Amino acid sequence: MSRLHRHQIPTLQTNLTPLIDLSFLLVIFFVLVARVGEVNTAGIQLPSTVNGASIPDEAPTPLVLNLMAPTADTGAVIVLNDSRYSLTAASIQSLTDELTAALAARPMAEINIRADRRSTYGDVRPVIEAAVRAAELAHLPAARIRLVATRAQAGSV
Amino acid sequence: MVLAVVSLIDVVFLLLLYFLCTAKFGTSEEVFPLEIPAAASAEGSNPAAAPPLVVRVTDAAQGWLRIDGDWPQPRNEQELLTVLQDLRTGDSSMLAIDHSILIAPHPHAAWGNVVSTYNAVVRAGFTNIGFESSL
């Protein structure tokens, strides 16, 4: 018996427990990131500019107004945080009120307008007007609006 | 012989997590800053100022750009950039860098075309840009 033990080949053992732990952590991370990305960019095709003169978005926490293009079933939809608005006068008034409250709390906040490139200026204009009106109601000198676009590779668009 | 791979895996995954957290996901978004005075009277019309150059964005599929006045008419944003650069820095050099440029989009104009127009005006070097409306 002792001879058998003496000649036994040493085995390579790998402890897989931490690997599995971290793998599951990565899975959870990717699930969370994927859902956040979906909420922020759902259905919006941003305008893209070749050789764009746009600048990087460096505002830490801007107020983000998402404007989704109208579909066959619904009109254009504006999304601010978790609230959804349409382009009716009453809905735009509600949007203005929420923007006013947000600007009163954070007067230096920038307003990012992420409008779908397939929407029309007639859809975007009420959103810009609501932002300007909200700045006025919050007693700010100007509305700090920023039009969001993507920078396309030359020749791709 | 037992290889101590556990610590190696730990460190590798920590590095992986670090790079995942610092990486930017999705397409890179950029912005065009646009500051609009809140009160309409804040920057009231100055009678001494030169009239603004109005660039119209129409809803036509082709030739959707038009400049008010007797200027060369661009057919797209590339030609608009050429025309504006010539107006600002060309031999004639008729417009100053802070000359007011008003973009006047048709309500049915595609937002993508409006942003392309804005981009061309910024690239031409003009600094005083606004939208023609009741804003």
Side-chain angles (χ1 to χ4, degrees), chain A:
Chain A
M1 226 23 210
S2 61
R3 278 185 179 180
L4 277 178
H5 274 289
R6 203 175 298 150
H7 295 292
Q8 203 171 24
I9 300 170
T11 55
L12 181 67
Q13 291 181 335
T14 306
N15 187 2
L16 292 177
T17 309
L19 182 136
I20 294 169
D21 287 349
L22 283 169
S23 299
F24 276 102
L25 278 177
L26 282 175
V27 168
I28 293 169
F29 172 79
F30 275 116
V31 168
L32 292 176
V33 167
R35 289 197 61 188
V36 168
E38 188 184 341
V39 169
N40 280 341
T41 61
I44 293 184
Q45 294 180 16
L46 289 172
S48 62
T49 55
V50 181
N51 299 323
S54 48
I55 58 174
D57 184 7
E58 290 175 346
T61 51
L63 297 168
V64 181
L65 283 168
N66 290 295
L67 176 66
M68 298 186 201
T71 62
D73 302 326
T74 60
V77 176
I78 308 161
V79 181
L80 172 62
N81 299 326
D82 294 330
S83 308
R84 297 168 76 88
Y85 302 93
S86 64
L87 291 178
T88 61
S91 194
I92 290 293
Q93 184 57 49
S94 303
L95 170 67
T96 307
D97 293 342
E98 185 174 348
L99 273 177
T100 305
L103 286 176
R106 294 193 299 128
M108 295 305 290
E110 276 109 349
I111 301 172
N112 281 14
I113 296 182
R114 299 177 76 253
D116 194 300
R117 69 175 146 210
R118 297 165 296 180
S119 55
T120 63
Y121 180 67
D123 296 333
V124 182
R125 181 173 162 171
V127 180
I128 299 177
E129 286 176 340
V132 175
R133 179 76 181 134
E136 193 176 346
L137 291 173
H139 307 293
L140 299 177
R144 305 173 70 197
I145 294 171
R146 305 185 320 159
L147 311 176
V148 182
T150 56
R151 185 187 288 263
Q153 299 295 323
S156 65
V157 172

Side-chain angles (χ1 to χ4, degrees), chain B residues 16-68:
Chain B
L16 188 59
L17 271 180
Y18 168 77
F19 282 114
L20 283 174
C21 290
T22 55
K24 285 187 176 178
F25 293 94
T27 54
S28 60
E29 294 183 8
E30 298 195 332
V31 295
F32 291 99
L34 173 66
E35 199 153 301
I36 301 178
S41 59
E43 288 192 3
S45 59
N46 181 2
L53 183 77
V54 179
V55 180
R56 298 195 181 278
V57 185
T58 71
D59 57 348
Q62 301 285 327
W64 44 270
L65 273 171
R66 195 157 51 81
I67 301 178
D68 280 8

